[in-house]
Amino acid sequence: MEGGGRPSAVQATLLAASTAITALLYSVYRQKSRVARGLEGARKVRLDGDLRAVLLEAPGRCVPYAVIEGVVRSVKETLSSQFVENCKGVVQRLTLQEHKMVWNRTTHLWNDYEKIIHQRTNTTPFDLVPAEDGAGVTVRVMKPLDAAELSLETVYEKFHPSVQSFTDVIGHYISGERPKGIQETEQMLKVGTALTGVGELVLDNATIKLQPPKQGMPYYLSSLDFESLLQKQESSVRFWKILTVIFGFATCAVLFFLLRKQYRHHRERQHLRQMQEEFRQAQERLVNTEGGETLKNACVVCLSSTKSCVFLECGHVCSCHECYQALPEPKKCPICRQGITRVVPLYNS
């Protein structure tokens, strides 16, 4: 604590940072909890012949947040993998990622660094159809790239290491960057993949569409079944809740420490004021009772008895005999702090 009982700059910064982190974590926890509750309350509909009748009975022919499970089927021509033969899909993502080592001047260590230098995503319209053939009901999936979770399968991955000459190695050490290579990846949502879609289900003329919800809830196109997807979100909620509680306790601990320091400083100031008041009252009593002469000859320690000791070798006359006896060993003069070799009684006539 600084003078006046105020917290130091480091303590104030620590409290402010801890409070801000706790508030941020709590905000994330609230958002994750809201998503989990919304997902738990989503209406589960079956992809069968009754689906159209369910939407016709719904207000506005729309279920605002629905869960539906089906199998991916392309509407038009499918997308073919560039690297894997006979691999067909409806979403294709090609990625080139640079890998290199970067020198950290603070820690004096080489750290891995990854950067996407090129990414292209191709899509083609697709439907969700029942796993059993012959049902005749389809759901058109709209804006699949807007999904918060879009399950793509990695069908091809290859790492191309960098070829470096001796001159390149020297230059990289000087610049602080050492290229490792380029990783080429292809991901696809293949035809026939079982998907769990969570979003707004609407009947538009004769077409049933699954699209991003309007209430701000997340849009899912996941290869997990609904129960697994819900458990994943609940696990995320528990994780953020634990982090929030930990940082909340840390914030409370810092605040308690500062308040305890403030309280102790307040008690010390109160005790000091009490001693000063007692000293002032003692002075007033001496002045009032003996006209000031007694105050002049009063012991500097107790301010009540008369000075009766001469300390040698310093020669100061400042204490009564009782206070001299109470001085700690080795005894020193209260005025000049010089060691007392002997004491001579003082007699006032």
Side-chain angles (χ1 to χ4, degrees):
M1 303 289 284
E2 292 181 343
R6 296 184 301 272
S8 65
V10 175
Q11 292 170 341
T13 302
L14 180 61
L15 180 61
S18 179
T19 304
I21 292 174
T22 302
L24 178 62
L25 292 175
Y26 180 71
S27 175
V28 175
Y29 161 70
R30 285 284 301 273
Q31 193 270 337
K32 294 288 184 182
S33 180
R34 184 179 68 88
V35 169
R37 288 196 305 269
L39 188 60
E40 187 177 7
R43 182 176 177 180
K44 303 175 183 63
V45 296
R46 292 178 59 84
L47 189 54
D48 55 19
D50 298 332
L51 179 57
R52 191 178 300 273
V54 170
L55 291 174
L56 286 172
E57 295 176 358
R61 296 185 177 185
C62 171
V63 178
Y65 207 46
V67 179
I68 191 165
E69 297 179 348
V71 176
V72 173
R73 187 181 71 182
S74 177
V75 176
K76 300 179 180 179
E77 294 183 0
T78 57
L79 302 173
S80 300
S81 170
Q82 292 188 5
F83 304 99
V84 181
E85 191 175 354
N86 298 325
C87 182
K88 304 290 185 179
V90 293
V91 179
Q92 178 190 46
R93 179 171 292 164
L94 300 169
T95 305
L96 290 178
Q97 190 174 41
E98 179 187 17
H99 292 258
K100 60 183 178 181
M101 303 289 288
V102 177
W103 177 254
N104 190 315
R105 290 181 173 82
T106 303
T107 61
H108 299 286
L109 296 172
W110 289 96
N111 298 326
D112 288 320
Y113 177 79
E114 299 175 359
K115 178 183 178 182
I116 295 177
I117 57 178
H118 178 72
Q119 189 175 77
R120 186 176 79 249
T121 303
N122 303 318
T123 62
T124 187
F126 67 96
D127 293 336
L128 291 181
V129 300
E132 303 83 8
D133 295 332
V137 181
T138 62
V139 173
R140 181 66 51 83
V141 178
M142 310 300 294
K143 300 180 180 180
L145 299 183
D146 290 350
E149 182 172 329
L150 177 60
S151 297
L152 299 180
E153 179 184 349
T154 301
V155 297
Y156 176 82
E157 189 173 25
K158 186 175 182 180
F159 184 76
H160 303 277
S162 300
V163 178
Q164 304 175 24
S165 64
F166 179 75
T167 306
D168 294 333
V169 173
I170 299 299
H172 295 154
Y173 270 98
I174 295 175
S175 65
E177 294 186 0
R178 291 163 46 190
K180 297 172 64 177
I182 303 295
Q183 183 170 336
E184 190 174 17
T185 306
E186 182 181 26
Q187 297 174 297
M188 296 191 73
L189 177 58
K190 296 195 292 187
V191 174
T193 302
L195 277 187
T196 299
V198 184
E200 184 182 67
L201 201 61
V202 60
L203 179 60
D204 185 8
N205 296 326
T207 305
I208 302 175
K209 297 180 179 180
L210 180 67
Q211 58 191 20
K214 296 183 177 65
Q215 299 90 346
M217 298 298 291
Y219 182 35
Y220 294 100
L221 294 172
S222 175
S223 59
L224 299 174
D225 60 80
F226 177 70
E227 295 300 328
S228 299
L229 182 61
L230 181 59
Q231 290 177 5
K232 180 180 178 181
Q233 297 304 316
E234 290 175 344
S235 298
S236 177
V237 171
R238 286 193 295 270
F239 171 77
W240 288 103
K241 183 178 181 180
I242 291 172
L243 278 184
T244 303
V245 170
I246 290 174
F247 274 87
F249 273 118
T251 302
C252 291
V254 174
L255 182 60
F256 173 78
F257 172 78
L258 295 181
L259 291 177
R260 181 172 175 268
K261 287 285 188 180
Q262 183 76 14
Y263 174 73
R264 291 178 61 183
H265 181 78
H266 173 72
R267 290 292 300 273
E268 290 174 359
R269 288 187 300 174
Q270 192 175 29
H271 181 65
L272 178 60
R273 286 197 298 268
Q274 183 179 0
M275 292 179 61
Q276 290 174 342
E277 180 64 21
E278 292 177 353
F279 180 76
R280 184 185 64 80
Q281 293 176 358
Q283 286 181 323
E284 291 178 353
R285 285 196 302 269
L286 290 173
V287 170
N288 294 334
T289 56
E290 302 186 15
E293 188 63 27
T294 305
L295 178 62
K296 181 178 178 181
N297 296 322
C299 170
V300 298
V301 179
C302 64
L303 295 176
S304 58
S305 301
T306 305
K307 301 174 184 176
S308 60
C309 298
V310 181
F311 297 152
L312 300 177
E313 302 294 329
C314 66
H316 281 121
V317 180
C318 58
S319 170
C320 63
H321 183 72
E322 289 77 9
C323 291
Y324 163 73
Q325 295 291 337
L327 291 176
E329 297 290 343
K331 297 184 185 298
K332 295 182 180 180
C333 174
I335 302 299
C336 64
R337 309 306 298 168
Q338 183 176 339
I340 301 174
T341 58
R342 61 196 183 96
V343 178
V344 175
L346 177 66
Y347 299 101
N348 293 317
S349 58

